[in-house]
Short mmCIF file of all heavy atoms in Angstrom, two decimals:
data_model
loop_
_atom_site.label_atom_id
_atom_site.label_comp_id
_atom_site.label_asym_id
_atom_site.label_seq_id
_atom_site.Cartn_x
_atom_site.Cartn_y
_atom_site.Cartn_z
N GLY G 125 -17.24 12.90 11.38
CA GLY G 125 -18.21 13.99 11.27
C GLY G 125 -18.68 14.12 9.84
O GLY G 125 -18.44 13.24 9.01
N ILE G 126 -19.33 15.24 9.55
CA ILE G 126 -19.85 15.48 8.20
C ILE G 126 -18.75 15.45 7.14
O ILE G 126 -18.92 14.83 6.09
CB ILE G 126 -20.64 16.83 8.14
CG1 ILE G 126 -21.75 16.84 9.18
CG2 ILE G 126 -21.17 17.09 6.74
CD1 ILE G 126 -22.91 15.91 8.90
N PRO G 127 -17.59 16.09 7.38
CA PRO G 127 -16.54 16.06 6.33
C PRO G 127 -16.10 14.64 6.00
O PRO G 127 -15.90 14.31 4.82
CB PRO G 127 -15.38 16.84 6.95
CG PRO G 127 -15.94 17.62 8.07
CD PRO G 127 -17.14 16.86 8.56
N GLU G 128 -15.97 13.79 7.03
CA GLU G 128 -15.54 12.41 6.79
C GLU G 128 -16.64 11.63 6.05
O GLU G 128 -16.36 10.83 5.16
CB GLU G 128 -15.20 11.70 8.11
CG GLU G 128 -13.90 12.17 8.76
CD GLU G 128 -14.05 13.50 9.48
OE1 GLU G 128 -15.19 13.85 9.84
OE2 GLU G 128 -13.03 14.21 9.65
N GLU G 129 -17.90 11.88 6.44
CA GLU G 129 -18.98 11.18 5.75
C GLU G 129 -19.03 11.59 4.29
O GLU G 129 -19.22 10.76 3.40
CB GLU G 129 -20.32 11.47 6.45
CG GLU G 129 -20.39 10.79 7.81
CD GLU G 129 -21.72 10.99 8.53
OE1 GLU G 129 -22.70 11.36 7.87
OE2 GLU G 129 -21.74 10.78 9.75
N ASN G 130 -18.83 12.87 4.05
CA ASN G 130 -18.81 13.34 2.65
C ASN G 130 -17.66 12.72 1.88
O ASN G 130 -17.82 12.32 0.72
CB ASN G 130 -18.69 14.87 2.59
CG ASN G 130 -19.97 15.56 3.00
OD1 ASN G 130 -21.04 14.94 2.97
ND2 ASN G 130 -19.87 16.82 3.38
N ARG G 131 -16.52 12.63 2.54
CA ARG G 131 -15.36 12.05 1.86
C ARG G 131 -15.62 10.58 1.52
O ARG G 131 -15.32 10.14 0.42
CB ARG G 131 -14.10 12.18 2.71
CG ARG G 131 -12.88 11.54 2.05
CD ARG G 131 -11.59 12.08 2.59
NE ARG G 131 -10.43 11.37 2.06
CZ ARG G 131 -9.85 11.61 0.88
NH1 ARG G 131 -10.35 12.55 0.07
NH2 ARG G 131 -8.80 10.92 0.47
N ALA G 132 -16.18 9.84 2.45
CA ALA G 132 -16.46 8.42 2.19
C ALA G 132 -17.44 8.28 1.01
O ALA G 132 -17.23 7.45 0.12
CB ALA G 132 -17.04 7.76 3.44
N HIS G 133 -18.49 9.11 1.00
CA HIS G 133 -19.44 9.08 -0.13
C HIS G 133 -18.72 9.39 -1.44
O HIS G 133 -18.91 8.70 -2.43
CB HIS G 133 -20.54 10.12 0.08
CG HIS G 133 -21.71 9.60 0.85
ND1 HIS G 133 -21.84 9.79 2.20
CD2 HIS G 133 -22.78 8.88 0.46
CE1 HIS G 133 -22.96 9.20 2.61
NE2 HIS G 133 -23.55 8.64 1.58
N ASN G 134 -17.92 10.45 -1.42
CA ASN G 134 -17.24 10.86 -2.66
C ASN G 134 -16.28 9.79 -3.15
O ASN G 134 -16.20 9.54 -4.36
CB ASN G 134 -16.46 12.17 -2.44
CG ASN G 134 -17.40 13.35 -2.25
OD1 ASN G 134 -18.57 13.28 -2.62
ND2 ASN G 134 -16.91 14.42 -1.66
N LEU G 135 -15.57 9.16 -2.20
CA LEU G 135 -14.62 8.12 -2.61
C LEU G 135 -15.35 6.93 -3.22
O LEU G 135 -14.93 6.39 -4.25
CB LEU G 135 -13.78 7.67 -1.41
CG LEU G 135 -12.65 8.62 -1.01
CD1 LEU G 135 -12.08 8.23 0.35
CD2 LEU G 135 -11.53 8.63 -2.06
N LEU G 136 -16.48 6.54 -2.61
CA LEU G 136 -17.22 5.40 -3.17
C LEU G 136 -17.79 5.74 -4.55
O LEU G 136 -17.83 4.90 -5.44
CB LEU G 136 -18.32 4.95 -2.22
CG LEU G 136 -17.83 3.96 -1.15
CD1 LEU G 136 -18.90 3.72 -0.10
CD2 LEU G 136 -17.43 2.62 -1.78
N GLU G 137 -18.21 6.99 -4.72
CA GLU G 137 -18.66 7.42 -6.05
C GLU G 137 -17.51 7.36 -7.04
O GLU G 137 -17.66 6.89 -8.16
CB GLU G 137 -19.18 8.86 -5.99
CG GLU G 137 -20.66 8.90 -5.77
CD GLU G 137 -21.22 10.31 -5.84
OE1 GLU G 137 -20.67 11.15 -6.60
OE2 GLU G 137 -22.17 10.55 -5.12
N ARG G 138 -16.34 7.82 -6.56
CA ARG G 138 -15.16 7.87 -7.43
C ARG G 138 -14.76 6.48 -7.90
O ARG G 138 -14.29 6.31 -9.02
CB ARG G 138 -14.01 8.55 -6.68
CG ARG G 138 -12.70 8.61 -7.42
CD ARG G 138 -12.80 9.47 -8.66
NE ARG G 138 -11.59 9.42 -9.46
CZ ARG G 138 -11.30 8.46 -10.33
NH1 ARG G 138 -12.13 7.44 -10.49
NH2 ARG G 138 -10.18 8.50 -11.03
N VAL G 139 -14.94 5.47 -7.05
CA VAL G 139 -14.56 4.11 -7.46
C VAL G 139 -15.72 3.39 -8.16
O VAL G 139 -15.65 2.20 -8.44
CB VAL G 139 -14.02 3.25 -6.28
CG1 VAL G 139 -12.77 3.88 -5.69
CG2 VAL G 139 -15.07 3.00 -5.21
N GLY G 140 -16.80 4.14 -8.44
CA GLY G 140 -17.89 3.58 -9.25
C GLY G 140 -18.92 2.77 -8.47
O GLY G 140 -19.62 1.94 -9.05
N LEU G 141 -19.03 3.03 -7.16
CA LEU G 141 -19.96 2.22 -6.35
C LEU G 141 -21.09 3.05 -5.72
O LEU G 141 -21.59 2.70 -4.65
CB LEU G 141 -19.19 1.47 -5.25
CG LEU G 141 -18.25 0.37 -5.74
CD1 LEU G 141 -17.50 -0.24 -4.56
CD2 LEU G 141 -19.02 -0.72 -6.48
N ARG G 142 -21.50 4.11 -6.41
CA ARG G 142 -22.54 4.98 -5.85
C ARG G 142 -23.78 4.17 -5.46
O ARG G 142 -24.38 4.41 -4.42
CB ARG G 142 -22.92 6.06 -6.87
CG ARG G 142 -23.82 7.13 -6.32
CD ARG G 142 -23.90 8.31 -7.28
NE ARG G 142 -24.44 7.92 -8.58
CZ ARG G 142 -25.74 7.83 -8.85
NH1 ARG G 142 -26.62 8.11 -7.93
NH2 ARG G 142 -26.15 7.47 -10.06
N LYS G 143 -24.11 3.20 -6.30
CA LYS G 143 -25.35 2.44 -6.04
C LYS G 143 -25.16 1.27 -5.08
O LYS G 143 -26.12 0.59 -4.76
CB LYS G 143 -25.90 1.92 -7.37
CG LYS G 143 -26.38 3.05 -8.26
CD LYS G 143 -27.09 2.53 -9.48
CE LYS G 143 -27.67 3.71 -10.29
NZ LYS G 143 -27.79 3.37 -11.70
N ARG G 144 -23.92 1.02 -4.65
CA ARG G 144 -23.71 -0.14 -3.78
C ARG G 144 -23.26 0.25 -2.36
O ARG G 144 -22.82 -0.60 -1.60
CB ARG G 144 -22.65 -1.08 -4.39
CG ARG G 144 -22.94 -1.60 -5.77
CD ARG G 144 -24.27 -2.35 -5.87
NE ARG G 144 -24.41 -3.48 -4.95
CZ ARG G 144 -24.03 -4.73 -5.23
NH1 ARG G 144 -23.49 -5.01 -6.39
NH2 ARG G 144 -24.20 -5.69 -4.34
#
Side-chain angles (χ1 to χ4, degrees):
I126 304 290
E128 288 77 23
E129 290 182 18
N130 287 340
R131 178 159 174 82
H133 271 97
N134 290 341
L135 283 167
L136 275 171
E137 267 186 31
R138 177 65 186 82
V139 299
L141 292 177
R142 189 168 61 84
K143 293 187 175 153
R144 303 302 304 271

